[in-house]
Structure formats: C-alpha cells, structure tokens
C-alpha cells in the first residue's frame, strides 16, 4: 500500500510511514540500526545499505552508491519514499597532527558521499514527494578542538543540506539535517585516527532514532542539537 500524506503537520503535512519504502545507509551502525528499528515499528519497509549491505551493498565514497540505492529500492519494492544517511566516520586529534589522508577520508565519507548520494536519489524521491534525512551532528554547529576535520566535514554537509532543501522544495522533497549530541553507539571507540577525549555519557541511540523519525513524520526540516535536550 503506498504511503499517504495528511494535510495537518507542523509544516503543512504529516507523513504516513506505514507502507513507505525507506533505505537506511549505514544500517549496520549504532544509529542506523536504531533508526531501522523505529521505522519498521512505524510500518515502513526498510532496506539496509552500506559496505556490508545487508540489502544493498554500496560504499558512500563511490559516486555510484546513490544509483545502487535507487536500483535496489525500485528493483525490489518498486518505489522509494525516503533515504536516511546514518553512515559516517570520525577521527580525533589536533589538525596539525592529522594526516591529510585522514582529512580526505573524513570528507569523502561524511561530506562528498552523502552529497553524491543525495544528487542521485532526489529524482526518485521527487516521484513520491519523499524525504532525505542525514545525521550530521552537534559538531556541525559547535566546533571543538581536537575534532576540527570531523566537525568541518559535518558542517559542510549541514550547509549542503540547507541549500539542497531550497533547491528541491518545489519538488516536494523533504530534506532533514539531524544534529544529535554524543550518542552511545561506540563510534568514538572506532576512529580513523587519534583517541577520543573523555566524553560524558551520551544519548541512547533508540531515543535519537525516535526523534529523527518523528521529524520525518512531522515534516520538520532541521533537528538541531537542542532538540535532543
Ligand atoms: N555516535 C555519536 O555520538 C554521533 C553523534 C552525532 C552524529 N553522529 C553521526 O551519526 C552517524 C552514525 O554514527 P554511529 O554512531 O551510528 O556510528 P557507527 O555505529 O560507527 O556506524 C557508522 C555506520 O557507517 C557505515 N559506514 C562507514 N563508512 C561507510 C562508507 N564508506 N560507505 C557506507 N557506509 C559506511 C558503517 O558501516 P560499515 O563500517 O560496516 O561499512 C556503519 O554502518 C555518523 O555520521 C556519525 O558521524 C554520531
């Protein structure tokens, strides 16, 4: 059953997720798994995408990842109603101590990849007046020492999402920038380089996922860190 929109949301519509076909990129990660669970709880059909699949195998650093996402969704489900990018990598350490290859890797995965993904999936999302949600993070709005390249990669994506939102508004495509604070997924323990500073206990991934999915349903465009307080 195709999803419906009802004309009463915060910004004019409420999105019905029952029957919606959503691809979660980074579905094997802490936040991606929690978002997948929450979308399924609300009745969506979720396809997990990423280097390890499970449903669509793609690497965000490859410009063809978005085409693989569209092919996978249309090929198996016949439609694409939404894409959530929950993939990303982190690195720690002073910029002067960070290898240029690490900086490049951060921007490839966190900035260029999601932008390539977005440009490839927008035409399919325009067909369904769908949504593109990406998790940038609190660092996109509050730069911190020791995470300069990571923060810059996220701030750049945040800027791209704000511009894209304006470009695709007339197509009816919802673009959401989600900027959660530190969350207990284990990401900080898997850096490309460096060592994480001591961090206070982070948010519960399930709570972050509920807030993200609520933003999709309520037709929100921007979920700043303060929205997770
Ligand atoms: N955890 C936090 O405190 C926090 C806070 C704010 C924002 N965020 C952001 O939220 C997103 C998810 O973070 P998380 O905490 O859930 O991290 P995570 O548990 O490490 O998950 C990261 C996911 O990204 C995927 N991935 C990495 N590189 C990829 C690539 N080149 N192509 C496709 N998939 C790739 C990983 O899959 P494979 O490695 O299996 O391919 C994994 O599924 C990231 O963008 C992160 O920056 C996290």
């Amino acid at each position: 059953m195709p999803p419906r929109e009802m004309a009463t949301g915060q910004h004019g519509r409420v999105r019905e997720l029952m029957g919606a076909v959503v691809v979660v990129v980074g579905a094997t990660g802490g936040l991606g798994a929690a978002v997948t669970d929450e979308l399924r709880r609300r009745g969506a059909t979720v396809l997990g995408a990423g280097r390890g699949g499970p449903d669509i195998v793609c690497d965000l650093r490859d410009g063809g990842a978005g085409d693989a996402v569209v092919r996978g969704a249309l090929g198996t489900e016949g439609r694409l109603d939404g894409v959530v990018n929950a993939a990303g990598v982190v690195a720690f350490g002073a910029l002067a101590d960070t290898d240029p290859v690490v900086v490049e890797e951060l921007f490839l995965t966190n900035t260029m990849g999601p932008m390539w993904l977005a440009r490839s999936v927008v035409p399919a999302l325009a067909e369904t007046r769908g949504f593109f949600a990406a998790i940038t993070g609190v660092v996109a709005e509050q730069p911190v020492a020791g995470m300069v390249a990571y923060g810059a990669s996220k701030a750049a994506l945040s800027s791209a999402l704000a511009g894209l939102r304006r470009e695709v508004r007339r197509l009816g495509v919802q673009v959401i920038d989600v900027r959660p604070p530190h969350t207990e997924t284990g990401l900080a323990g898997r850096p490309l380089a460096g060592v994480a500073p001591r961090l206070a206990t982070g948010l519960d991934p399930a709570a972050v996922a509920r807030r993200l999915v609520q933003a999709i349903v309520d037709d929100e465009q921007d979920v700043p860190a303060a929205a997770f307080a």
Side-chain angles (χ1 to χ4, degrees):
M1 182 180 63
R4 291 170 291 126
E5 287 173 8
M6 293 168 282
T8 50
Q10 181 183 351
H11 297 94
R13 64 179 174 183
V14 167
R15 189 178 296 281
E16 174 59 76
L17 285 174
M18 185 66 68
V21 176
V22 184
V23 174
V24 175
V25 183
T28 60
L31 280 169
V35 168
T36 297
D37 288 349
E38 181 63 14
L39 287 167
R40 286 190 174 139
R41 196 181 68 75
R42 289 177 177 250
T45 296
V46 182
L47 300 173
R51 289 180 294 187
D55 303 305
I56 299 167
V57 177
C58 63
D59 187 326
L60 270 186
R61 297 168 298 180
D62 172 356
D67 291 338
V69 164
V70 173
R71 265 198 317 274
L74 299 189
T76 60
E77 303 297 335
R79 59 185 291 130
L80 179 63
D81 297 292
V83 174
V84 178
N85 180 46
V89 287
V90 72
F92 301 104
L95 182 61
D97 300 330
T98 305
D99 192 309
V101 172
V102 172
V103 177
E104 190 176 45
E105 191 67 23
L106 284 166
F107 274 79
L108 261 179
T109 306
N110 293 347
T111 316
M112 318 276 280
M115 287 175 68
W116 290 332
L117 173 70
R119 69 176 292 285
S120 299
V121 301
V122 157
L125 294 175
E127 294 289 316
T128 55
R129 293 173 62 83
F131 63 87
F132 182 85
I135 305 174
T136 56
V138 63
V139 292
E141 53 187 68
Q142 296 170 24
V144 286
M147 298 170 71
V148 169
Y150 175 66
S153 73
K154 293 297 195 167
L157 178 59
S158 190
S159 170
L161 293 168
L164 178 67
R165 180 177 307 132
R166 297 190 175 103
E167 283 184 1
V168 301
R169 183 176 293 145
R170 67 188 163 78
L171 302 176
V173 177
Q174 177 190 8
V175 176
I176 318 169
D177 177 11
V178 186
R179 301 191 293 278
H182 174 53
T183 305
E184 294 297 332
T185 62
L187 172 70
R190 295 186 281 276
L192 295 178
V195 177
R198 279 177 64 97
L199 296 164
T201 303
L203 299 179
D204 173 8
V208 173
R210 280 195 298 275
R211 185 66 187 82
L212 185 155
V213 173
Q214 195 59 48
I216 294 169
V217 170
D218 288 346
D219 199 27
E220 293 177 64
Q221 309 292 321
D222 196 54
V223 188
F228 295 88

